[in-house]
Every structure is written in C-alpha cells, then in structure tokens.
Amino acid sequence: MRLLNSEIDNRIDVKLDKSISCKESLGVMTFGKSNDYPYVIEKLINGSITAKASADIYAKFLTGNGFNEIINKVVIGYDERNKPVTVLGMLKKVAMSMAYHRGVFIHCNENLDRKIVNLSLVPFKYCRFTKVDDSGYTAKIAVYDNWDKHKRFEKEKVKEYNVFNLEENAFNSQIAEIEGDIDKKVRAFKGQIYFCFLDNQYLYPLSPFDACYLDCDTENQISIYKNNSARNGLLKKTVVTFVEPPTQEQQTELKNKVTSWLGTDGPSTLTVYGDVDENGDLNKSKNIAIDSIDSNIDSEAFGEWQKELANNIRKSMKALPAILIDYEESKLGTTSGEAIIQATNFYNAVTKDDRSTLSEMFEELLKNTNIPTLQNNTDWTIKPISLYEQPTNI
C-alpha cells in the first residue's frame, strides 16, 4: 500500500506472509517471514474504506452496550496519556483489537496478594511469544514496538513478561525469581500479560481480513489511481495557444499571466497583446487558439469491481450486512427502518459467541482485581446493540 506522500508510509508487499517460526536472534516466535504480519494487515485494513468501516461496525457490535451501568463506569487502569480507563473503555479497546487481529493482549499489574491493581491494553502488533517448548507451551511474551524493523532494531528494549497465571505456586515462583528483599521484589515485579484469541487454530490468530487482504489492497489502489488521475492532469483540460512573443521578457510576462488565470482563484479575464491585420483589427486566428482535451477516465470503469470488492470484504467480517455500513438516504423510510432492525438482529446473533468469549475474559480478569464492586459482580453479560427500547407495561 502506498500513500501519496512516500515519507508517510512506504509501499508494502501485498504478498502477505503468515508463517510462524522461531528466530533465535530475536528470541521469539516470529509472525510472518519478516515478523511483520500484524503491521501489514493493519495497513491493509486502514487503506480500505470498506475494511475499516467493517472493523468499526464489528467492534461496535462486540462492545454492544457493555455491562450494567455501574460496572461500565468503574476505572480499572490508565492509558498512555495517564487518562483513566473504565471497564467500558477497556471493552471498546479490546473489541477493536479483535476486529483487526482476532486477538488481544492485556498487561496486568498485580500486587503480591495476586490481585490486579491496574489493566492496560498492549497493541497486538507489539507482542510475540517466546520460544515454545516441546508441548507447544510458552511461558513468556516479549513486547516491543519495532518487530517489523521500521527503525533500527534495539534488542535491549525488548521487554519480557510472564503469561497471566494467578495460581498461587506459579505466581510465587515468579516472585521468587526476583532477587532482593520484599520491597525490591514489589518494585521489580513487572506484572503479567493476559491474552485471548478468537482464532486458536495456530499459535497466533489470523486477522478476519486475511482471506480478503488482496481485495483490501485492490480497493485502496483504485482510490490511489483515481486520486493520481485527478492530480496528474488526466481530467478535461483547456489548451490556450498564443503567438510566441519576440522577447524572453515578454514570454515570461505572458506565461505569468496565463498561470494566474488558471484555477478557481484566478481572475475571470486575461489581457494579452497581439498583432492586427491590414484593416487594424485583431488577428484572432493568428494570435490565439483554444482547444480542449477530454478526460480519459471512465467513471464506470471500476464500478462493478468496487461492488464485488466491498462484498468480499464484508463477507470476511462474519457476513456483515451491507445496509449497516452503506448509507443510502432513499432506504431510510418505513421499510428500510425495518430492514436495518432485522440486519442488526442478524448481526447480533452472528457475533453472539464472540461477545460471550469477551464476557468470560472480563469476568476472569475483573473478579481478580482489588475492587470490591468488580469482585462481587455476578452478571458479566455484554448487552447487545438495540435500535429501539421495548415498551414497558404501565
């Protein structure tokens, strides 16, 4: 994917590699031959308007209306700007990570009583499992913001965390590994990282858009082509031809006048000096000629392609109904309102199992916090999106 400004983002290789291997020099299980699968997939999604919109809608359906109002408002951590993050805020972050990667990593900062005192989401692309043992298990997760080596790789900046495990013996053995007295152990303990995947077929989950990544790139390239066509002058143009002035100074003056005349900001008239014929009249045919070059852009060229691409991308996101992202004013009448409600109910049903997985994840984490309100909560059901409220009997 190539943005118009090459300094912002270089073109990516659309041959998306998803192989997994152990790279001894990095000490991790790589994700992709160049260890860049999550980075590449994010660029592909963000470059495709349909993929980005589909991910946003899917994340909204995963979040729904959150938990009950009291639980939603409880602060469980702080973000990178030191702003408080509520349970609902964390759910939104988790849902978006799931929409892009089908997986999430969360850093849990615990005290020595094995109670979580702070939760923070770690970007999925920053996390890699360390070398797995013969049983396929890995005890640590390495976190680094430069696995794709978009800048100079600095191995000393890679941080390793133990995989989330609050079982007493396992937790105590992690604490025992830290040298020093109890105060030093408290200061040195880095916490653990919890992970949850919606796709457990491989060591790392594949993005929902993995099957249609070429469609995402094609949609982006069509947008770039249209933009380049407009910027590079393939739209209809007017050609004005003048008799060449005799001196360089007059040529420069005429060029400047013509340049100032062009565009919407230029003056509406252009004054130039030309020759006259034997009768003293301006010789128009000799001094100026105006021609036009028609655009070679066919507005219908990519019409069917774009419909097919958008349909493929929506299918990848659990058959997302088109009506939920393709706004058409003519379809918002009585019948369309019913269609949107039906589409919402359908997508709520399709995403139900994924919301259940997130419910179980949040219950496992938040019941182990040091916050009584969360410890005592018994209902961790995520309320699905509803476009209308059920009438109440009076």
Side-chain angles (χ1 to χ4, degrees):
M1 178 172 52
R2 180 177 55 195
L3 300 180
L4 295 178
N5 186 346
S6 61
E7 294 181 357
I8 298 175
D9 191 11
N10 296 324
R11 182 178 177 85
I12 64 172
D13 184 357
V14 296
K15 294 180 180 179
L16 188 62
D17 187 277
K18 63 197 79 172
S19 60
I20 299 172
S21 62
C22 179
K23 196 157 187 175
E24 296 293 345
S25 60
L26 298 178
V28 300
M29 304 297 294
T30 62
F31 195 1
K33 185 177 180 179
S34 299
N35 203 17
D36 61 353
Y37 177 92
Y39 293 83
V40 174
I41 203 70
E42 282 192 8
K43 292 178 181 179
L44 288 168
I45 295 170
N46 290 334
S48 163
I49 188 171
T50 303
K52 185 67 171 66
S54 297
D56 288 343
I57 294 296
Y58 173 73
K60 288 183 184 299
F61 273 79
L62 282 192
T63 303
N65 292 316
F67 307 100
N68 65 64
E69 292 185 7
I70 296 176
I71 297 300
N72 282 341
K73 297 177 181 179
V74 176
V75 175
I76 56 174
Y78 294 85
D79 63 14
E80 61 278 2
R81 296 168 296 178
N82 204 34
K83 299 291 185 180
V85 176
T86 63
V87 172
L88 181 60
M90 180 61 73
L91 177 57
K92 291 178 180 179
K93 291 175 179 285
V94 168
M96 188 56 71
S97 180
M98 291 295 187
Y100 272 64
H101 303 287
R102 279 204 192 120
V104 66
F105 292 92
I106 298 177
H107 177 254
C108 306
N109 189 20
E110 300 113 340
N111 58 29
L112 297 187
D113 294 325
R114 294 181 292 132
K115 293 299 181 183
I116 300 172
V117 297
N118 186 295
L119 292 169
S120 60
L121 184 138
V122 184
F124 184 90
K125 61 187 176 184
Y126 292 174
C127 298
R128 298 292 186 275
F129 290 111
T130 58
K131 185 177 179 180
V132 298
D133 58 24
D134 293 337
S135 64
Y137 176 77
T138 177
K140 293 182 181 294
I141 294 173
V143 177
Y144 185 47
D145 66 353
N146 189 35
W147 292 118
D148 67 332
K149 300 179 183 178
H150 58 270
K151 54 188 178 183
R152 188 171 68 86
F153 186 81
E154 299 177 88
K155 188 174 182 179
E156 64 275 10
K157 291 187 177 181
V158 177
K159 297 180 180 179
E160 289 190 358
Y161 297 86
N162 289 296
V163 172
F164 182 82
N165 188 346
L166 294 183
E167 194 277 325
E168 186 174 4
N169 291 334
F171 187 85
N172 289 341
S173 64
Q174 294 175 15
I175 300 298
E177 291 176 356
I178 304 173
E179 297 180 355
D181 57 24
I182 192 65
D183 291 334
K184 186 174 181 179
K185 290 178 183 291
V186 171
R187 291 192 300 270
F189 183 57
K190 297 185 295 184
Q192 302 173 333
I193 288 187
Y194 179 98
F195 67 91
C196 177
F197 300 157
L198 295 178
D199 171 19
N200 292 300
Q201 185 174 2
Y202 306 104
L203 180 64
Y204 298 109
L206 296 179
S207 168
F209 300 97
D210 182 81
C212 67
Y213 76 88
L214 290 176
D215 293 311
C216 295
D217 183 66
T218 301
E219 188 176 68
N220 175 258
Q221 292 304 311
I222 289 175
S223 296
I224 292 175
Y225 171 80
K226 288 182 175 180
N227 183 266
N228 283 339
S229 295
R231 284 175 171 265
N232 294 338
L234 293 182
L235 299 177
K236 185 173 182 178
K237 295 294 182 182
T238 299
V239 178
V240 183
T241 305
F242 296 94
V243 173
E244 183 178 8
T247 67
Q248 181 65 42
E249 182 179 329
Q250 289 174 322
Q251 291 177 18
T252 301
E253 180 184 2
L254 179 59
K255 180 179 179 181
N256 291 337
K257 286 183 178 180
V258 173
T259 301
S260 68
W261 187 41
L262 301 176
T264 58
D265 295 330
S268 59
T269 60
L270 173 68
T271 302
V272 296
Y273 301 99
D275 296 333
V276 294
D277 58 22
E278 61 275 9
N279 298 321
D281 296 323
L282 180 65
N283 191 340
K284 295 183 180 179
S285 62
K286 180 180 178 181
N287 288 279
I288 183 171
I290 301 178
D291 299 290
S292 64
I293 300 176
D294 289 333
S295 167
N296 67 343
I297 298 178
D298 182 0
S299 60
E300 304 296 327
F302 297 114
E304 291 303 316
W305 273 31
Q306 288 176 303
K307 291 180 181 178
E308 182 179 345
L309 293 170
N311 190 45
N312 287 345
I313 295 169
R314 289 194 303 268
K315 284 180 180 179
S316 295
M317 189 48 83
K318 291 184 174 286
L320 174 65
I323 196 172
L324 295 180
I325 61 174
D326 292 340
Y327 171 81
E328 293 184 36
E329 188 173 2
S330 61
K331 293 185 178 181
L332 291 183
T334 304
T335 56
S336 71
E338 178 62 26
I340 292 176
I341 291 174
Q342 293 301 325
T344 299
N345 292 339
F346 164 79
Y347 208 54
N348 271 329
V350 169
T351 55
K352 180 180 179 181
D353 288 345
D354 293 345
R355 280 195 302 278
S356 295
T357 298
L358 296 192
S359 294
E360 294 170 1
M361 183 194 83
F362 272 82
E363 180 176 9
E364 180 180 3
L365 287 173
L366 299 185
K367 288 185 74 68
N368 284 295
T369 64
N370 61 346
I371 304 173
T373 303
L374 300 179
Q375 293 175 358
N376 300 326
N377 184 52
T378 58
D379 181 11
W380 292 97
T381 304
I382 297 174
K383 299 177 182 178
I385 288 177
S386 177
L387 296 182
Y388 65 96
E389 294 186 0
Q390 296 286 352
T392 57
N393 295 325
I394 300 178

